[in-house]
């Protein structure tokens, strides 16, 4: 059985011997110091690149989707130039994830 670390979107999802159960979404809480960011062309359809540049970990791409569920329905095709999203501050995110 796989073990998912604290920064994984699957960390809170139960699993059995064969597979993951239904996904338990880990909502990223809104904080007053989150900043409004307009997606630039180099990050179009690449939330992993933005996560790497901001947090040093491309696997945190899912944070943008969970923090902006009203804007981003599809994590790839809705991540386009000109879209405004809220970005959690790194220290708040680390505290939320427990890492």
């Amino acid at each position: 059985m796989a073990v998912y670390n604290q920064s994984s979107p699957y960390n809170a999802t139960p699993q059995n011997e064969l597979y993951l159960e239904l996904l338990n979404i880990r909502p990223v809480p809104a904080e007053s110091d989150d900043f409004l960011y307009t997606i630039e062309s180099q990050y179009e359809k690449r939330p992993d690149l933005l996560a790497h540049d901001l947090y040093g970990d491309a696997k945190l791409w899912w944070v943008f989707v969970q923090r902006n569920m009203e804007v981003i329905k599809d994590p790839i095709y809705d991540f386009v130039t000109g879209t405004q999203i809220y970005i959690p501050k790194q220290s708040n995110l680390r505290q939320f994830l427990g890492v």
Side-chain angles (χ1 to χ4, degrees), residues 1-70:
M1 179 171 4
V3 176
Y4 294 95
N5 66 26
Q6 289 290 86
S7 63
S8 171
Y10 307 113
N11 179 265
T13 301
Q15 52 186 317
N16 63 38
E17 308 81 44
L18 300 175
Y19 52 85
L20 285 169
E21 300 288 341
L22 293 175
L23 176 66
N24 278 347
I25 293 176
R26 296 178 68 187
V28 176
E31 299 287 343
S32 60
D33 56 354
D34 290 350
F35 64 95
L36 188 61
Y37 173 75
T38 303
I39 298 172
E40 300 172 67
S41 61
Q42 69 263 32
Y43 300 118
E44 180 151 345
K45 298 182 182 175
R46 294 301 306 268
D48 58 325
L49 292 180
L50 181 58
H52 178 269
D53 288 351
L54 290 177
Y55 303 129
D57 187 350
K59 294 179 205 164
L60 291 174
W61 63 269
W62 63 273
V63 168
F64 306 130
V65 177
Q66 298 303 349
R67 174 59 183 86
N68 298 281
M69 292 182 77
E70 68 285 347

Side-chain angles (χ1 to χ4, degrees), residues 36-40 71-72 77-85:
L36 188 61
Y37 173 75
T38 303
I39 298 172
E40 300 172 67
V71 176
I72 301 174
Y77 293 108
D78 289 342
F79 210 84
V80 294
T81 303
T83 302
Q84 290 191 319
I85 60 173

